[in-house]
Amino acid sequence: MDLAMRDKKAIVTGASEGIGKAITRALAREGVDVAICARRKEPLERTAAEIAKETGRKIFPIVADLTKAADTGSFIKTAHTALGRIDILVNNAGSAPGGVLEHLTEDDWAQALQLKFMGYVRCMKHTLPIMQKQKKGRVVNLIGNDGVKVSYWEIAPGAANAAGQNLTKSLASQYGKDNISFVAVNPGPVRTERFIDRTVSLSPAGEGAMGV
């Protein structure tokens, strides 16, 4: 399928594995050059080399911790320089501790908000001025479905996701005049490496299985 995206330039966060890696591969197969980030250098560079070899597109691996404002600013600046422009931003990086209210610590709540919500805020803060100058851009925010449904056992990520959902709608209203569109994608459980590791650790039999 040709989605008319050849030679577009994209950024994907949290792209060393899982959903972010799959999004990067899908974009590259459509002819898009992509700058990707993650906190771990080795898997990030391995993913970039793998997808570049498979698709023939330019994949730029940039190590960054999006809980840090300086890292985020440097990542977007480096990605913009490497790509030449930014047509698409895919915010995907982020996880948050699960658990019910009485078991969550202050640090758990801070972790949930710092990466899953503030990481998105930081990336958009640095990217949207670039898109405004270009007079065009597309932002895709990966927001778990706990942000749009009741899930008391995942209340911290759910709260961060709900904030992200509202933020996406608010920015769409603000930046629509600049020809910048926003979409929130709300996936349920996906069988990624992190999901498998988590189900294995929670399973009494030590066997991971897909669940909802």
Side-chain angles (χ1 to χ4, degrees):
M1 179 185 297
D2 183 2
L3 300 178
M5 297 177 67
R6 179 161 294 279
D7 296 327
K8 297 290 186 182
K9 312 296 180 181
I11 288 177
V12 181
T13 68
S16 61
E17 59 185 22
I19 294 174
K21 180 177 180 178
I23 291 170
T24 301
R25 174 176 280 114
L27 288 169
R29 285 176 174 172
E30 291 296 324
V32 179
D33 294 328
V34 190
I36 61 176
C37 81
R39 286 179 285 189
R40 295 178 297 152
K41 181 179 180 180
E42 290 76 12
L44 182 69
E45 292 182 343
R46 187 164 56 246
T47 288
E50 175 187 325
I51 296 176
K53 181 178 180 180
E54 175 189 323
T55 64
R57 302 306 304 186
K58 295 178 181 178
I59 311 295
F60 301 99
I62 303 167
V63 177
D65 181 349
L66 302 184
T67 66
K68 300 175 181 178
D71 264 29
T72 307
S74 177
F75 164 59
I76 299 299
K77 182 178 179 180
T78 302
H80 186 212
T81 298
L83 295 168
R85 66 180 189 273
I86 302 173
D87 299 304
I88 304 162
L89 168 65
V90 181
N91 278 311
N92 170 72
S95 61
V100 295
L101 181 63
E102 54 265 36
H103 294 153
L104 292 168
T105 66
E106 290 283 330
D107 286 344
D108 290 334
W109 284 102
Q111 180 183 335
L113 293 170
Q114 270 300 313
L115 187 55
K116 190 61 180 173
F117 178 67
M118 287 304 300
Y120 286 29
V121 170
R122 294 183 185 107
C123 284
M124 289 188 287
K125 182 177 180 179
H126 289 285
T127 302
L128 289 174
I130 295 170
M131 291 182 170
Q132 281 181 304
K133 290 181 180 178
Q134 296 171 172
K135 302 186 184 304
K136 188 175 185 181
R138 304 291 178 257
V139 178
V140 181
N141 288 333
L142 271 289
I143 299 170
N145 67 350
D146 287 335
V148 292
K149 68 175 180 62
V150 175
S151 179
Y152 69 83
W153 59 93
E154 293 281 358
I155 195 168
N161 287 337
Q165 191 82 9
N166 183 276
L167 177 68
T168 303
K169 292 179 179 178
S170 298
L171 293 179
S173 176
Q174 179 183 353
Y175 287 93
K177 67 183 187 318
D178 298 309
N179 196 26
I180 302 173
S181 66
F182 293 76
V183 62
V185 180
N186 304 105
V190 178
R191 197 176 180 84
T192 63
E193 295 88 344
R194 183 164 60 88
F195 184 91
I196 293 170
D197 288 344
R198 185 172 182 181
T199 53
V200 167
S201 67
L202 292 177
S203 170
E207 298 178 354
M210 175 63 80
V212 295

